[in-house]
Amino acid sequence: MTDDGRTVIPLHERVVSPAASGRDFAAELNPDQLAAATHGDGPLLIVAGAGSGKTRTLVYRVAHLVDRGVRPERILLLTFTRRAAHEMLSRAERLIGSASRNVHGGTFHATAHRLLRRFGPAAGLPRDFSIMDQGDSADLMQISRAALGFGAGAKRFPKKETLHHVYSRHVNTGIAMEDIVRDEYPRFIEYIPDFTRLYADYTLRKQERNLVDYDDLLLLWAMLLEASPELASDIAGLYDHILVDEYQDTNALQARILRGMARMHSNVTVVGDDAQSIYSFRGATIRNILDFPAQFPGTRVVTLDRNYRSTPQILGTSNTLIAHAGERFAKTLWTDRAAAERPLLVTARDEPQQTRYVVDRILELHEEGIALRSIAVLFRAGYMSADLEIELANRKIPFEKWGGIKFLEAAHVKDVLAFLRVLENPRDEVSWYRLLLLLPGIGEATARSAMEALAAAAWDSAAFGGFVPPPRARAAHASLVALLGTLRSAPEADDARVAREIGHVRTMYDAMVRDRYDRPEPRLADLDQLQTIAAGFPDRTTFLSALALEPPSATQDFAGASADSEDDALVLSTVHSAKGKEWDAVFVISAVDGLFPSTRALGSDEDTEEERRLMYVAMTRARDHLSVVHPLNSYGSQRGADYSLTQLSRFVDPEVRATMQHVALGSDDRAAEPVLVEQRGPVVDLRALLRGRFGAV
DNA sequence: TTTTGAAGTCTCTCC
DNA sequence: GACTTCAAAA
């Protein structure tokens, strides 16, 4: 290697010797896995079916590279979640020792963040930028919208979330903004010129406020790679090998980044399963994986189709389900695991019965010796577990919910963070705006004029103290100024600093919470939790960036730092959050047409196909037991009970059903099937009584 | 200009 | 059911 460590040793020229890790790869991997793990230089596409040992193969590949002399810090491992990166690196560590700790791993966004802090200044991006999450971005869109005076007309102007969605999609997919509006929001076509102006203002505003949104992280990374040859080789030159997990869920912009990073050596390994692509709403396209061989000439393709996870019966059902999908890398998973029970298709009368069935069955499995942690209940969207959560709480069964956690999006949490963010970046308009609106007596108009005053004073924080609010807001303004002053003069950094700052903020903010909400307690508890998390971070900058980039996927992740997962708890998860995981027993609930697939996805064939893949992901999470449950009557659990969904999910078609065992709960035709119901709860079911008022007697 | 109450909108998935 | 938007009152 040269002294700058950049020269790549042509691996294929080196003699294959017993691995330095002391491992006999051939004995521990199957032939396909071995071929992938020990592939030399050049592009490699691993098409890895569910449960085929994908992570294992990737870990061994890292070990192989290190064995053959690639320095760990020159390997970049891009994964989809922090959890995946962590798991892979710790498994690599077990395999090859502490050297693997130096492998760089993380999500695309987190890696972008790291590179931008380091190389951004060379391209005019300040080192101390703040990261906006999705909600912040939408808020800034709203500020732009107000500043430009859009939406005053009679016809409805797009909501800020819509504005952000179109923008984000454009950045991530490269599709022209006009086309996105035409396809997805035809009723807003007339506003296209306004969209354009608004996005220009938004972009300028971000720059002036030193703010960077999620999409910018990727976009700026790509631009750094394309801006100047010197910069590009500095950045791309950091790594000799790049490995990407879950490649089917990357988008066009991420593929562009990958090309830029690999341009000097084409040592790219991507792993993915086109049958599990479930993130198109975020711009992901299975074209990335289908077209990879064309993008990287000379690609070697290895297919892993032996499944080590599930019983043949579960695999049979899953294979049948996915067989109808359109374009894909054809592969049918197989296994030599012993035969077992067929997956269950359970028909419940309604949601309460579905809930009781699932809970009863979980308790049975638990009594048979399966840990709660090895059981999961999966659903299409976070709200679908509401009924189940109540029942679990009543029966004192511990559970942990993944996905759909809105902790960081909760207004009170964002409020507290806004204080810190203003200290961090005095130009953070989104956070200033948020703080100002908290003060009684200050509304949009006053907030805007305060912002203008601040902007005019070059965001000098002293200018905020000089701002004269309307009389009724004087007192609140004064105490905010005082609080910010206290926070600024806080003593030097120490470990408890961020938590202490939050404590200061709460001397003012807690009163507002009590004032504003009918039930302040849970919200205050959230703030306690936020404080606890903060204690784990050395400084404010790290804390704020980490929160934006690595939001915890379960509430327990917060407490988790020390307490960890000692206690045994059932997992409730959205299918999206369950990706890459596996359990002994899996329940897929609310498999009802209209819920899963969701009505929204039935508009286009592509969306429907993605829902099918989502169902496939759900089913293939199961090792030994799989139950698909559907209630015959799913009411719109809210007002306007005029719609009720009754049909089993279309994905469980006759062919799929033929591979399952059908269980009908308490149906009128008392089949030979076991009826597992009969609750121990109250004799009178109030909800059923209420429903009785509207339905048949 | 802010606040308040009523009507209206839309339900997801995540970095 | 939660949140936004709109119109009228303080």
Side-chain angles (χ1 to χ4, degrees):
Chain A
M1 254 178 278
T2 61
D3 47 6
D4 68 353
R6 194 171 299 160
T7 307
V8 182
I9 299 173
L11 293 176
H12 48 85
E13 289 174 11
R14 294 171 56 114
V15 179
V16 181
S17 58
S21 57
R23 290 284 173 165
D24 181 359
F25 281 29
E28 296 174 22
L29 301 173
N30 73 32
D32 293 328
Q33 292 174 336
L34 182 69
T38 58
H39 171 76
D41 284 350
L44 169 67
L45 166 61
I46 306 174
V47 180
S52 63
K54 174 195 70 171
T55 306
R56 184 178 177 78
T57 303
L58 222 38
V59 167
Y60 273 78
R61 174 144 182 78
V62 170
H64 170 78
L65 292 173
V66 173
D67 275 351
R68 308 191 82 180
V70 179
R71 283 156 52 193
E73 66 274 20
R74 300 188 58 77
I75 298 174
L76 176 62
L77 179 59
L78 293 167
T79 56
F80 204 71
T81 60
R82 175 176 99 270
R83 208 185 275 266
H86 179 78
E87 181 178 345
M88 225 170 265
L89 292 180
S90 66
R91 279 172 66 169
E93 186 172 341
R94 252 174 280 150
L95 197 60
I96 58 178
S98 57
S100 67
R101 251 182 249 147
N102 297 323
V103 172
H104 286 185
T107 62
F108 270 89
H109 289 84
T111 304
H113 173 242
R114 191 163 46 76
L115 293 174
L116 288 177
R117 294 272 186 217
R118 177 165 165 198
F119 293 99
L125 178 73
R127 191 181 300 276
D128 60 350
F129 61 83
S130 306
I131 300 172
M132 292 192 289
D133 70 15
Q134 203 169 320
D136 298 329
S137 305
D139 287 346
L140 192 62
M141 287 273 175
Q142 186 75 323
I143 290 173
S144 284
R145 171 185 164 171
L148 293 173
F150 290 150
K155 193 157 177 278
R156 214 156 59 84
F157 198 78
K159 299 199 315 183
K160 59 184 181 190
E161 286 81 9
T162 308
L163 296 168
H164 176 257
H165 172 78
V166 172
Y167 167 84
S168 178
R169 197 163 182 80
H170 165 64
V171 172
N172 281 286
T173 62
I175 300 172
M177 195 262 292
E178 293 83 348
D179 293 337
I180 297 170
V181 176
R182 247 182 274 279
D183 284 356
E184 297 184 41
Y185 303 99
R187 63 192 163 138
F188 293 141
I189 283 177
E190 60 181 293
Y191 288 123
I192 286 178
D194 290 350
F195 276 73
T196 310
R197 280 185 58 204
L198 197 141
Y199 294 154
D201 182 85
Y202 172 76
T203 305
L204 186 62
R205 213 167 267 273
K206 276 188 299 190
Q207 195 181 332
E208 287 172 359
R209 274 64 171 170
N210 203 11
L211 298 168
V212 165
D213 64 29
Y214 282 151
D215 304 322
D216 288 336
L217 288 171
L218 299 183
L219 188 59
L220 290 169
W221 184 2
M223 286 165 70
L224 281 184
L225 288 169
E226 292 156 8
S228 80
E230 297 79 38
L231 209 48
S233 55
D234 280 352
I235 298 173
L238 288 173
Y239 302 106
D240 295 329
H241 283 269
I242 303 174
L243 294 83
V244 187
D245 191 17
E246 308 282 11
Y247 194 62
Q248 77 280 357
D249 287 321
T250 56
N251 59 40
L253 181 54
Q254 287 164 320
R256 189 171 137 198
I257 289 170
L258 196 58
R259 284 198 298 278
M261 290 298 288
R263 136 178 74 182
M264 292 153 79
H265 47 62
S266 282
N267 290 330
V268 184
T269 298
V270 302
V271 188
D273 179 3
D274 46 308
Q276 294 186 65
S277 167
I278 54 175
Y279 277 93
S280 71
F281 69 89
R282 201 168 90 180
T285 167
I286 66 173
R287 289 254 65 91
N288 273 5
I289 194 165
L290 294 175
D291 295 346
F292 184 85
Q295 295 255 344
F296 290 90
T299 293
R300 176 173 186 188
V301 180
V302 176
T303 303
L304 306 182
D305 57 6
R306 174 172 178 181
N307 177 296
Y308 291 91
R309 178 185 297 156
S310 309
T311 64
Q313 283 66 30
I314 290 172
L315 228 40
T317 302
S318 310
N319 281 336
T320 310
L321 174 89
I322 203 67
H324 305 294
E327 184 182 15
R328 63 192 196 106
F329 282 108
K331 60 183 175 309
T332 300
L333 296 180
W334 61 278
T335 182
D336 63 2
R337 283 197 51 179
E341 65 178 40
R342 287 206 246 165
L344 299 183
L345 173 62
V346 181
T347 303
R349 195 181 333 113
D350 48 24
E351 198 183 342
Q353 196 183 34
Q354 164 176 272
T355 296
R356 284 194 302 272
Y357 169 76
V358 170
V359 175
D360 287 343
R361 187 78 186 106
I362 285 170
L363 289 178
E364 282 175 23
L365 290 168
H366 189 48
E367 274 163 32
E368 287 168 20
I370 298 179
L372 286 177
R373 184 156 292 286
S374 302
I375 306 175
V377 181
L378 306 182
F379 31 84
R380 175 68 182 85
Y383 69 88
M384 291 177 192
S385 65
D387 194 62
L388 183 60
E389 288 172 42
I390 294 168
E391 183 69 10
L392 290 170
N394 285 343
R395 298 232 220 151
K396 307 258 189 294
I397 299 173
F399 67 92
E400 182 174 302
K401 187 170 173 183
W402 297 359
I405 296 287
K406 295 293 193 295
F407 183 82
L408 293 174
E409 289 160 35
H412 50 288
V413 174
K414 297 208 74 165
D415 286 344
V416 169
L417 292 179
F419 286 87
L420 302 189
R421 291 173 50 162
V422 161
L423 294 173
E424 193 64 16
N425 173 10
R427 284 187 278 166
D428 187 336
E429 184 174 14
V430 178
S431 299
W432 271 119
Y433 199 72
R434 200 175 181 101
L435 289 191
L436 285 163
L437 288 181
L438 285 176
L439 305 180
I442 292 188
E444 259 186 73
T446 314
R448 212 172 313 143
S449 72
M451 295 314 311
E452 279 163 22
L454 260 179
W459 304 96
D460 174 6
S461 33
F464 182 66
F467 174 73
V468 183
R472 36 195 314 219
R474 287 274 154 77
H477 171 256
S479 49
L480 177 57
V481 171
L483 174 61
L484 291 176
T486 312
L487 287 168
R488 272 195 212 95
S489 61
E492 279 312 295
D494 64 79
D495 282 357
R497 173 169 182 177
V498 190
R500 203 172 47 237
E501 284 178 348
I502 294 176
H504 278 302
V505 169
R506 294 185 63 184
T507 57
M508 175 174 186
Y509 185 71
D510 279 9
M512 293 177 173
V513 174
R514 291 208 179 81
D515 206 44
R516 194 172 302 236
Y517 301 104
D518 290 342
R519 283 182 53 232
E521 294 80 10
R523 302 189 190 247
L524 293 173
D526 283 346
L527 298 184
D528 290 341
Q529 207 167 25
L530 187 67
Q531 228 166 328
T532 310
I533 305 163
F537 288 86
D539 60 82
R540 205 199 291 137
T541 315
T542 315
F543 174 62
L544 292 175
S545 301
L547 278 194
L549 292 172
E550 302 179 345
S553 51
T555 31
Q556 276 70 8
D557 278 14
F558 290 131
S562 55
D564 221 16
S565 50
E566 285 305 322
D567 44 327
D568 191 28
L570 174 72
V571 173
L572 309 188
S573 174
T574 61
V575 180
H576 282 89
S577 297
K579 191 165 69 128
K581 304 294 292 185
E582 60 180 55
W583 291 271
D584 288 344
V586 167
F587 295 83
V588 180
I589 60 168
S590 295
V592 176
D593 229 51
L595 297 179
F596 196 169
S598 86
T599 340
R600 291 193 72 226
L602 297 176
S604 78
D605 288 350
E606 286 151 23
D607 288 351
T608 309
E609 278 306 296
E610 177 146 321
E611 296 281 308
R612 176 188 295 280
R613 293 192 294 267
L614 201 51
M615 181 64 88
Y616 177 73
V617 169
M619 287 181 172
T620 52
R621 298 309 95 198
R623 282 192 284 254
D624 304 323
H625 305 276
L626 170 65
S627 304
V628 176
V629 192
H630 77 281
L632 279 178
N633 281 298
S634 301
Y635 301 91
S637 48
Q638 294 85 336
R639 69 181 172 96
D642 33 16
Y643 81 95
S644 80
L645 301 164
T646 58
Q647 296 297 311
L648 170 64
S649 172
R650 66 188 60 195
F651 301 137
V652 189
D653 56 30
E655 267 181 78
V656 172
R657 277 204 294 280
T659 67
M660 307 178 81
Q661 182 182 346
H662 193 202
V663 178
L665 301 179
S667 56
D668 289 339
D669 54 306
R670 309 226 165 235
E673 310 292 358
V675 178
L676 300 168
V677 217
E678 277 356 295
Q679 75 229 61
R680 313 144 197 194
V683 181
V684 179
D685 184 344
L686 283 181
R687 273 173 299 194
L689 279 180
L690 281 175
R691 269 198 307 281
R693 295 177 52 183
F694 302 105
V697 181

